[in-house]
Structure formats: structure tokens, C-alpha cells
Amino acid sequence: MSSVKIEVFTSPMCPHCPAAKRVVEEVAKEFPVEVEYIDVTQNPQKAMEYGIMAVPTIVINGEIEFIGAPTKEALIEAIKRRL
């Protein structure tokens, strides 16, 4: 089984980021994924590398997959496509 890396771009003032984090944490319990949370206020360079303009943004294996908080089902589908 290949490993999937999920990067969750967030910011402290973002109202939708806690929901995105919650979904990622729930799904991470069920799948072999590596999760990294990136605060765009502390690491703007990383966000610029992907051209991220809005948070939450979820990047999977280096590709922007969701802008905004995904549903659990949508995130599971995106992970399954990469396993």
C-alpha cells in the first residue's frame, strides 16, 4: 500500500479550518496517511509554492484537492484514488 501525504493549509483566523482539520483527523484514523498542518501565517512560502490563496486548502500528494473543508466522503474518495 502506498502512502498518501495530506497537507492541510490553515490560518488562525479561518472560520472553516477547524472543520477541515476534524475531517482530516477522522479519515487519518482509517487510512495510512501522513498529515501535516501548515499555518499560512507562519509559512507563507509553502502556500506560495502551491499558489494557495484561500484556507482551508487540502493538498494530497502535492496536488491541490480541496479548497474549503471537504466532506468526509469526498476526502475518503480522494485518498482511495491514490492508494
Side-chain angles (χ1 to χ4, degrees):
M1 219 184 225
S2 64
S3 113
V4 174
K5 179 165 188 187
I6 300 175
E7 294 167 290
V8 184
F9 288 82
T10 65
S11 82
M13 302 305 293
C14 161
H16 302 290
C17 290
K21 284 182 179 177
R22 217 169 20 254
V23 169
V24 170
E25 283 163 11
E26 281 180 34
V27 172
K29 291 177 192 158
E30 299 172 34
F31 292 93
V33 295
E34 176 192 341
V35 179
E36 182 183 352
Y37 296 100
I38 296 138
D39 181 336
V40 297
T41 62
Q42 294 174 350
N43 194 344
Q45 193 59 43
K46 186 84 170 162
M48 281 169 45
E49 284 171 28
Y50 286 116
I52 290 170
M53 300 293 176
V55 289
T57 294
I58 296 178
V59 174
I60 302 178
N61 288 357
E63 295 174 53
I64 293 176
E65 184 71 34
F66 300 103
I67 297 170
T71 63
K72 186 175 177 184
E73 293 73 23
L75 183 58
I76 287 170
E77 273 310 303
I79 291 168
K80 282 183 175 172
R81 284 199 305 271
R82 290 167 171 89
L83 288 175

Coordinates of all heavy atoms in Angstrom, one line a residue:
M1 N 0.8 -1.2 0.0 CA 0.0 0.0 0.0 C 0.9 1.3 0.0 O 1.8 1.4 0.8 CB -0.9 0.0 1.3 CG -2.3 0.5 1.0 SD -3.2 0.5 2.6 CE -4.7 -0.3 2.1
S2 N 0.6 2.1 -0.9 CA 1.5 3.3 -1.0 C 1.0 4.3 0.1 O -0.2 4.3 0.5 CB 1.4 4.0 -2.4 OG 0.0 4.4 -2.6
S3 N 1.9 5.2 0.4 CA 1.5 6.2 1.5 C 1.0 7.4 0.8 O 1.4 7.8 -0.3 CB 2.7 6.4 2.4 OG 3.1 7.7 2.3
V4 N 0.1 8.1 1.5 CA -0.6 9.3 1.0 C -0.2 10.4 1.9 O -0.4 10.3 3.2 CB -2.1 9.1 0.9 CG1 -2.8 10.4 0.5 CG2 -2.5 8.0 -0.1
K5 N 0.3 11.5 1.4 CA 0.6 12.7 2.2 C -0.5 13.7 2.1 O -0.8 14.1 0.9 CB 1.9 13.2 1.9 CG 2.3 14.4 2.7 CD 3.7 14.8 2.7 CE 3.9 15.9 3.8 NZ 5.1 16.5 3.8
I6 N -1.1 14.2 3.2 CA -2.1 15.2 3.2 C -1.5 16.4 3.9 O -1.0 16.3 5.0 CB -3.3 14.8 3.9 CG1 -3.9 13.5 3.2 CG2 -4.4 15.9 4.0 CD1 -5.1 12.9 4.0
E7 N -1.5 17.5 3.2 CA -1.1 18.8 3.8 C -2.3 19.7 3.9 O -3.1 19.9 2.9 CB -0.1 19.5 2.9 CG 1.2 18.7 2.8 CD 2.1 19.3 1.7 OE1 1.8 19.1 0.5 OE2 3.2 19.9 2.0
V8 N -2.6 20.2 5.1 CA -3.7 21.0 5.4 C -3.3 22.4 5.7 O -2.6 22.6 6.6 CB -4.5 20.4 6.6 CG1 -5.8 21.3 6.8 CG2 -4.9 19.0 6.4
F9 N -3.6 23.3 4.8 CA -3.2 24.7 4.9 C -4.3 25.4 5.7 O -5.4 25.4 5.3 CB -3.0 25.4 3.5 CG -1.7 24.9 2.9 CD1 -1.7 23.7 2.2 CD2 -0.5 25.6 3.0 CE1 -0.5 23.2 1.6 CE2 0.7 25.1 2.4 CZ 0.7 23.9 1.7
T10 N -3.9 26.1 6.8 CA -4.8 26.7 7.7 C -4.3 28.1 8.1 O -3.1 28.4 7.8 CB -5.1 25.9 8.9 OG1 -3.9 25.8 9.7 CG2 -5.6 24.5 8.6
S11 N -5.1 28.8 8.8 CA -4.7 30.1 9.4 C -5.5 30.2 10.7 O -6.6 29.7 10.8 CB -4.8 31.3 8.5 OG -6.2 31.8 8.6
P12 N -4.9 30.9 11.7 CA -5.6 31.1 13.0 C -7.0 31.8 12.9 O -7.9 31.5 13.7 CB -4.6 31.9 13.8 CG -3.3 31.8 13.1 CD -3.6 31.6 11.7
M13 N -7.1 32.6 11.9 CA -8.4 33.4 11.9 C -9.4 32.7 11.0 O -10.5 33.2 10.8 CB -8.1 34.8 11.3 CG -7.1 35.6 12.0 SD -7.5 35.8 13.8 CE -9.0 36.8 13.7
C14 N -9.1 31.6 10.4 CA -10.0 30.9 9.4 C -11.2 30.2 10.1 O -11.0 29.3 10.9 CB -9.2 29.9 8.7 SG -10.1 28.7 7.8
P15 N -12.4 30.6 9.8 CA -13.6 30.0 10.5 C -13.9 28.6 10.0 O -14.5 27.8 10.8 CB -14.7 30.9 10.1 CG -14.3 31.6 8.8 CD -12.8 31.7 8.9
H16 N -13.4 28.2 8.9 CA -13.7 26.8 8.3 C -12.6 25.8 8.6 O -12.7 24.6 8.3 CB -14.0 26.9 6.8 CG -15.2 27.8 6.6 ND1 -16.5 27.5 6.9 CD2 -15.3 29.0 6.0 CE1 -17.3 28.4 6.6 NE2 -16.6 29.4 6.0
C17 N -11.4 26.3 9.1 CA -10.3 25.4 9.2 C -10.5 24.4 10.3 O -10.1 23.2 10.1 CB -9.0 26.3 9.5 SG -8.5 27.2 8.0
P18 N -11.1 24.7 11.4 CA -11.3 23.6 12.4 C -12.2 22.4 11.8 O -11.9 21.3 12.1 CB -12.1 24.3 13.5 CG -11.6 25.7 13.4 CD -11.5 26.0 12.0
A19 N -13.1 22.7 11.0 CA -13.9 21.7 10.4 C -13.1 20.8 9.4 O -13.2 19.6 9.4 CB -15.1 22.3 9.6
A20 N -12.2 21.5 8.7 CA -11.3 20.8 7.7 C -10.4 19.9 8.5 O -10.2 18.7 8.2 CB -10.6 21.8 6.9
K21 N -9.8 20.4 9.6 CA -8.9 19.6 10.4 C -9.6 18.4 11.0 O -9.1 17.3 11.0 CB -8.4 20.4 11.6 CG -7.3 21.4 11.2 CD -6.8 22.1 12.5 CE -5.7 23.1 12.2 NZ -5.3 23.9 13.4
R22 N -10.9 18.6 11.5 CA -11.6 17.5 12.1 C -11.9 16.4 11.0 O -11.7 15.2 11.4 CB -13.0 18.0 12.6 CG -13.5 17.4 13.8 CD -14.6 18.1 14.5 NE -15.5 19.0 13.7 CZ -15.5 20.3 13.8 NH1 -14.7 20.9 14.6 NH2 -16.3 21.0 13.0
V23 N -12.2 16.7 9.8 CA -12.5 15.7 8.8 C -11.2 15.0 8.5 O -11.2 13.7 8.4 CB -13.0 16.4 7.5 CG1 -13.0 15.4 6.3 CG2 -14.4 16.9 7.7
V24 N -10.1 15.7 8.4 CA -8.8 15.0 8.1 C -8.4 14.1 9.2 O -8.0 13.0 9.0 CB -7.7 16.1 7.8 CG1 -6.3 15.4 7.8 CG2 -8.0 16.8 6.5
E25 N -8.6 14.5 10.4 CA -8.2 13.7 11.6 C -9.1 12.4 11.6 O -8.6 11.4 11.9 CB -8.4 14.5 12.9 CG -7.2 15.4 13.1 CD -7.4 16.5 14.1 OE1 -8.4 16.5 14.8 OE2 -6.6 17.5 14.1
E26 N -10.4 12.5 11.3 CA -11.2 11.4 11.3 C -10.8 10.4 10.3 O -10.7 9.2 10.5 CB -12.7 11.8 11.0 CG -13.4 12.3 12.2 CD -14.9 12.7 11.8 OE1 -15.5 12.0 11.0 OE2 -15.3 13.7 12.4
V27 N -10.5 10.9 9.1 CA -10.1 10.0 8.0 C -8.7 9.4 8.2 O -8.5 8.2 7.9 CB -10.2 10.8 6.6 CG1 -9.6 10.0 5.5 CG2 -11.6 11.2 6.3
A28 N -7.9 10.2 8.8 CA -6.5 9.7 9.1 C -6.5 8.5 10.0 O -5.5 7.7 10.0 CB -5.6 10.8 9.7
K29 N -7.5 8.3 10.8 CA -7.6 7.1 11.7 C -7.9 5.9 10.9 O -7.6 4.7 11.3 CB -8.7 7.3 12.7 CG -8.5 8.4 13.7 CD -9.6 8.6 14.7 CE -9.5 9.8 15.5 NZ -10.8 10.3 16.0
E30 N -8.5 6.0 9.7 CA -8.9 4.9 8.9 C -8.0 4.5 7.8 O -8.1 3.4 7.2 CB -10.3 5.2 8.3 CG -11.4 5.4 9.4 CD -12.7 5.9 8.8 OE1 -13.0 5.5 7.6 OE2 -13.4 6.7 9.4
F31 N -7.1 5.4 7.4 CA -6.2 5.2 6.2 C -4.8 5.5 6.6 O -4.5 6.3 7.5 CB -6.6 6.1 5.1 CG -8.0 5.7 4.5 CD1 -9.1 6.3 4.9 CD2 -8.1 4.7 3.5 CE1 -10.4 5.9 4.4 CE2 -9.3 4.4 3.0 CZ -10.4 5.0 3.4
P32 N -3.8 4.8 5.9 CA -2.4 5.0 6.2 C -1.9 6.3 5.6 O -1.3 6.3 4.5 CB -1.7 3.8 5.6 CG -2.6 3.5 4.4 CD -4.0 3.8 4.9
V33 N -2.3 7.4 6.2 CA -1.9 8.7 5.6 C -1.0 9.5 6.6 O -1.0 9.3 7.8 CB -3.1 9.6 5.3 CG1 -4.0 9.0 4.2 CG2 -4.0 9.9 6.5
E34 N -0.1 10.3 6.0 CA 0.7 11.2 6.7 C 0.1 12.6 6.6 O -0.2 13.0 5.5 CB 2.1 11.2 6.1 CG 3.1 12.2 6.7 CD 4.4 12.3 5.9 OE1 4.6 11.5 5.0 OE2 5.0 13.4 6.1
V35 N -0.1 13.2 7.8 CA -0.8 14.5 7.8 C 0.1 15.6 8.3 O 0.8 15.4 9.3 CB -2.1 14.5 8.6 CG1 -2.8 15.8 8.7 CG2 -3.1 13.4 8.1
E36 N 0.1 16.7 7.6 CA 0.9 17.9 8.0 C 0.0 19.1 8.0 O -0.7 19.3 7.0 CB 2.1 18.1 7.1 CG 3.0 19.2 7.5 CD 4.2 19.5 6.6 OE1 4.4 18.7 5.7 OE2 4.8 20.5 6.8
Y37 N 0.0 19.8 9.1 CA -0.8 21.1 9.1 C 0.2 22.2 8.9 O 1.2 22.3 9.6 CB -1.5 21.2 10.5 CG -2.5 20.1 10.7 CD1 -2.2 19.0 11.5 CD2 -3.8 20.2 10.1 CE1 -3.1 18.0 11.7 CE2 -4.7 19.2 10.3 CZ -4.4 18.1 11.1 OH -5.3 17.1 11.3
I38 N -0.2 23.1 8.0 CA 0.7 24.2 7.7 C -0.1 25.5 7.9 O -1.1 25.8 7.3 CB 1.2 24.2 6.2 CG1 2.0 22.9 6.0 CG2 2.0 25.4 5.8 CD1 1.8 22.2 4.8
D39 N 0.4 26.3 8.9 CA -0.2 27.6 9.2 C 0.4 28.6 8.1 O 1.6 28.9 8.2 CB 0.1 28.0 10.6 CG -0.5 29.4 11.0 OD1 -0.8 30.2 10.1 OD2 -0.6 29.6 12.2
V40 N -0.5 29.1 7.3 CA 0.0 30.0 6.2 C 0.5 31.3 6.7 O 1.3 32.0 6.1 CB -1.1 30.3 5.1 CG1 -1.5 29.0 4.4 CG2 -2.3 31.0 5.7
T41 N 0.2 31.7 8.0 CA 0.7 32.9 8.5 C 2.2 32.7 9.0 O 3.0 33.7 9.0 CB -0.1 33.5 9.7 OG1 -0.1 32.5 10.8 CG2 -1.6 33.8 9.3
Q42 N 2.5 31.5 9.3 CA 3.9 31.2 9.8 C 4.7 30.6 8.6 O 5.9 30.7 8.7 CB 3.8 30.1 10.9 CG 3.2 30.7 12.2 CD 3.0 29.6 13.2 OE1 3.2 28.4 13.0 NE2 2.7 30.0 14.4
N43 N 4.1 30.1 7.6 CA 4.8 29.5 6.5 C 4.2 30.0 5.1 O 3.7 29.1 4.4 CB 4.8 28.0 6.6 CG 5.8 27.3 5.7 OD1 6.4 27.9 4.8 ND2 6.1 26.1 6.0
P44 N 4.3 31.3 4.9 CA 3.6 31.8 3.6 C 4.3 31.2 2.4 O 3.7 31.1 1.3 CB 3.8 33.3 3.7 CG 4.8 33.5 4.7 CD 4.8 32.4 5.6
Q45 N 5.6 30.9 2.5 CA 6.4 30.4 1.3 C 5.8 29.1 0.8 O 5.7 28.9 -0.4 CB 7.9 30.2 1.8 CG 8.8 30.0 0.6 CD 8.8 31.2 -0.4 OE1 8.8 32.3 0.0 NE2 8.8 30.8 -1.6
K46 N 5.5 28.2 1.7 CA 4.9 26.9 1.3 C 3.6 27.1 0.6 O 3.3 26.5 -0.4 CB 4.7 26.1 2.6 CG 4.3 24.7 2.3 CD 5.4 23.8 2.0 CE 5.0 22.3 2.0 NZ 5.9 21.4 1.3
A47 N 2.7 28.0 1.1 CA 1.5 28.3 0.4 C 1.7 28.9 -0.9 O 1.0 28.6 -1.9 CB 0.6 29.3 1.3
M48 N 2.7 29.8 -1.1 CA 3.0 30.4 -2.4 C 3.5 29.3 -3.4 O 3.2 29.4 -4.6 CB 4.1 31.5 -2.2 CG 3.4 32.8 -1.7 SD 4.6 34.0 -1.2 CE 5.8 34.0 -2.5
E49 N 4.2 28.3 -2.9 CA 4.7 27.3 -3.8 C 3.5 26.6 -4.5 O 3.6 26.2 -5.7 CB 5.5 26.2 -3.0 CG 6.9 26.6 -2.6 CD 7.5 25.6 -1.6 OE1 7.1 24.4 -1.7 OE2 8.3 26.0 -0.8
Y50 N 2.4 26.4 -3.8 CA 1.2 25.8 -4.4 C 0.3 26.8 -5.0 O -0.7 26.5 -5.6 CB 0.4 25.0 -3.4 CG 1.1 23.7 -2.9 CD1 1.5 23.5 -1.6 CD2 1.2 22.7 -3.8 CE1 2.1 22.3 -1.2 CE2 1.8 21.5 -3.5 CZ 2.2 21.3 -2.2 OH 2.8 20.1 -1.8
G51 N 0.6 28.1 -4.8 CA -0.4 29.2 -5.3 C -1.6 29.2 -4.5 O -2.7 29.6 -5.1
I52 N -1.6 28.9 -3.3 CA -2.8 28.9 -2.4 C -3.2 30.3 -2.0 O -2.3 31.0 -1.5 CB -2.5 28.0 -1.2 CG1 -2.5 26.5 -1.6 CG2 -3.6 28.2 -0.1 CD1 -2.0 25.5 -0.6
M53 N -4.4 30.6 -2.3 CA -4.9 32.0 -2.0 C -6.0 31.9 -0.8 O -6.4 33.0 -0.3 CB -5.6 32.6 -3.2 CG -4.7 32.7 -4.4 SD -3.4 34.0 -4.0 CE -2.4 33.9 -5.4
A54 N -6.5 30.8 -0.5 CA -7.6 30.7 0.4 C -7.3 29.5 1.4 O -6.7 28.5 0.9 CB -8.9 30.5 -0.3
V55 N -7.8 29.6 2.6 CA -7.7 28.5 3.5 C -9.1 28.2 4.0 O -10.0 29.1 4.0 CB -6.8 28.8 4.7 CG1 -5.3 28.8 4.3 CG2 -7.1 30.1 5.4
P56 N -9.4 26.9 4.4 CA -8.5 25.8 4.3 C -8.3 25.3 2.9 O -9.3 25.3 2.1 CB -9.2 24.7 5.2 CG -10.7 25.1 5.0 CD -10.7 26.6 4.9
T57 N -7.1 24.9 2.6 CA -6.8 24.2 1.4 C -6.2 22.8 1.7 O -5.3 22.8 2.6 CB -5.9 25.0 0.4 OG1 -6.6 26.2 0.0 CG2 -5.5 24.2 -0.8
I58 N -6.6 21.8 1.1 CA -6.1 20.4 1.3 C -5.3 20.0 0.1 O -5.9 19.9 -1.0 CB -7.2 19.5 1.8 CG1 -7.8 20.0 3.1 CG2 -6.6 18.0 1.9 CD1 -8.9 19.1 3.6
V59 N -4.1 19.7 0.3 CA -3.2 19.2 -0.8 C -2.9 17.7 -0.5 O -2.6 17.3 0.6 CB -1.9 20.0 -0.8 CG1 -0.9 19.4 -1.8 CG2 -2.2 21.5 -1.1
I60 N -3.1 16.9 -1.5 CA -2.8 15.5 -1.4 C -1.8 15.1 -2.4 O -1.9 15.3 -3.6 CB -4.1 14.6 -1.6 CG1 -5.2 15.0 -0.6 CG2 -3.8 13.1 -1.4 CD1 -6.5 14.3 -0.8
N61 N -0.7 14.5 -1.8 CA 0.5 14.1 -2.7 C 0.9 15.2 -3.6 O 1.2 15.0 -4.8 CB 0.2 12.8 -3.4 CG 0.2 11.6 -2.5 OD1 0.4 11.7 -1.3 ND2 -0.2 10.5 -3.0
G62 N 0.9 16.5 -3.1 CA 1.4 17.6 -3.9 C 0.4 18.2 -4.9 O 0.8 19.1 -5.6
E63 N -0.8 17.8 -4.9 CA -1.8 18.3 -5.7 C -2.9 19.0 -4.9 O -3.4 18.3 -4.0 CB -2.5 17.3 -6.6 CG -1.6 16.6 -7.6 CD -2.4 15.4 -8.3 OE1 -3.5 15.7 -8.8 OE2 -1.8 14.3 -8.3
I64 N -3.3 20.2 -5.2 CA -4.5 20.8 -4.5 C -5.7 20.0 -4.8 O -6.1 19.8 -6.0 CB -4.6 22.3 -4.9 CG1 -3.4 23.1 -4.5 CG2 -6.0 22.8 -4.4 CD1 -3.5 24.5 -4.9
E65 N -6.3 19.5 -3.8 CA -7.5 18.6 -4.0 C -8.8 19.4 -3.5 O -9.8 19.2 -4.2 CB -7.3 17.4 -3.2 CG -8.4 16.3 -3.3 CD -8.4 15.7 -4.7 OE1 -7.4 15.4 -5.3 OE2 -9.5 15.4 -5.2
F66 N -8.7 20.1 -2.4 CA -9.9 20.8 -1.9 C -9.6 22.2 -1.5 O -8.6 22.4 -0.8 CB -10.5 20.0 -0.7 CG -10.9 18.6 -1.0 CD1 -10.1 17.6 -0.6 CD2 -12.1 18.4 -1.6 CE1 -10.5 16.3 -0.8 CE2 -12.5 17.1 -1.9 CZ -11.7 16.0 -1.5
I67 N -10.4 23.1 -1.9 CA -10.3 24.5 -1.3 C -11.6 24.6 -0.5 O -12.7 24.5 -1.0 CB -10.2 25.5 -2.4 CG1 -8.9 25.3 -3.2 CG2 -10.3 27.0 -1.8 CD1 -8.8 26.1 -4.4
G68 N -11.4 24.8 0.8 CA -12.6 24.7 1.7 C -12.6 23.3 2.4 O -11.8 22.5 2.0
A69 N -13.4 23.2 3.4 CA -13.5 21.9 4.1 C -14.2 20.9 3.3 O -15.4 21.1 2.9 CB -14.1 22.1 5.5
P70 N -13.6 19.7 3.0 CA -14.3 18.7 2.3 C -15.2 17.9 3.2 O -15.1 17.9 4.4 CB -13.2 17.8 1.8 CG -12.2 17.9 2.9 CD -12.3 19.3 3.4
T71 N -16.2 17.2 2.6 CA -16.9 16.2 3.4 C -16.0 15.0 3.6 O -15.0 14.8 2.9 CB -18.2 15.7 2.7 OG1 -17.7 15.0 1.5 CG2 -19.1 16.8 2.3
K72 N -16.3 14.2 4.6 CA -15.5 13.0 5.0 C -15.5 12.1 3.7 O -14.5 11.6 3.4 CB -16.1 12.3 6.2 CG -15.3 11.2 6.7 CD -15.8 10.6 8.0 CE -15.0 9.4 8.4 NZ -15.5 8.7 9.6
E73 N -16.7 11.9 3.1 CA -16.8 11.0 2.0 C -15.9 11.5 0.8 O -15.3 10.7 0.1 CB -18.3 11.0 1.5 CG -19.2 10.3 2.5 CD -19.5 11.2 3.7 OE1 -19.4 12.4 3.7 OE2 -19.9 10.6 4.8
A74 N -15.9 12.8 0.5 CA -15.1 13.3 -0.6 C -13.6 13.1 -0.3 O -12.8 12.7 -1.2 CB -15.4 14.8 -0.8
L75 N -13.2 13.3 0.9 CA -11.8 13.1 1.3 C -11.4 11.6 1.2 O -10.3 11.3 0.6 CB -11.5 13.6 2.7 CG -10.1 13.6 3.1 CD1 -9.1 14.3 2.2 CD2 -9.9 14.1 4.6
I76 N -12.3 10.7 1.6 CA -12.0 9.3 1.5 C -11.9 8.9 0.0 O -10.9 8.2 -0.3 CB -13.1 8.5 2.2 CG1 -13.0 8.6 3.7 CG2 -13.1 7.0 1.8 CD1 -14.2 8.1 4.5
E77 N -12.7 9.4 -0.8 CA -12.6 9.1 -2.3 C -11.3 9.6 -2.8 O -10.7 8.9 -3.6 CB -13.8 9.8 -3.0 CG -15.0 9.0 -3.1 CD -14.8 7.6 -3.5 OE1 -14.2 7.3 -4.6 OE2 -15.2 6.6 -2.8
A78 N -10.9 10.8 -2.4 CA -9.6 11.3 -3.0 C -8.4 10.5 -2.5 O -7.5 10.3 -3.3 CB -9.5 12.8 -2.5
I79 N -8.5 10.0 -1.3 CA -7.4 9.1 -0.8 C -7.4 7.8 -1.5 O -6.4 7.3 -1.9 CB -7.5 9.0 0.8 CG1 -7.2 10.3 1.5 CG2 -6.6 7.9 1.3 CD1 -7.6 10.3 2.9
K80 N -8.6 7.2 -1.6 CA -8.7 5.9 -2.3 C -8.1 5.9 -3.7 O -7.5 5.0 -4.1 CB -10.1 5.4 -2.3 CG -10.6 4.9 -0.9 CD -12.0 4.3 -1.1 CE -12.5 3.7 0.2 NZ -13.9 3.3 0.1
R81 N -8.3 7.0 -4.4 CA -7.8 7.1 -5.8 C -6.3 7.1 -5.8 O -5.7 6.8 -6.8 CB -8.2 8.5 -6.4 CG -9.7 8.5 -6.8 CD -9.9 9.6 -7.9 NE -9.6 10.9 -7.4 CZ -10.4 11.7 -6.7 NH1 -11.6 11.4 -6.4 NH2 -9.9 12.9 -6.4
R82 N -5.6 7.4 -4.6 CA -4.2 7.4 -4.6 C -3.5 6.2 -3.9 O -2.3 6.1 -3.8 CB -3.8 8.7 -3.9 CG -4.1 9.9 -4.7 CD -4.0 11.2 -3.9 NE -4.0 12.4 -4.8 CZ -5.2 13.0 -5.1 NH1 -6.3 12.5 -4.6 NH2 -5.2 14.1 -5.9
L83 N -4.4 5.3 -3.4 CA -3.8 4.2 -2.7 C -3.5 3.0 -3.7 O -4.1 2.9 -4.7 CB -4.7 3.6 -1.6 CG -4.8 4.5 -0.4 CD1 -5.9 4.0 0.6 CD2 -3.5 4.6 0.3

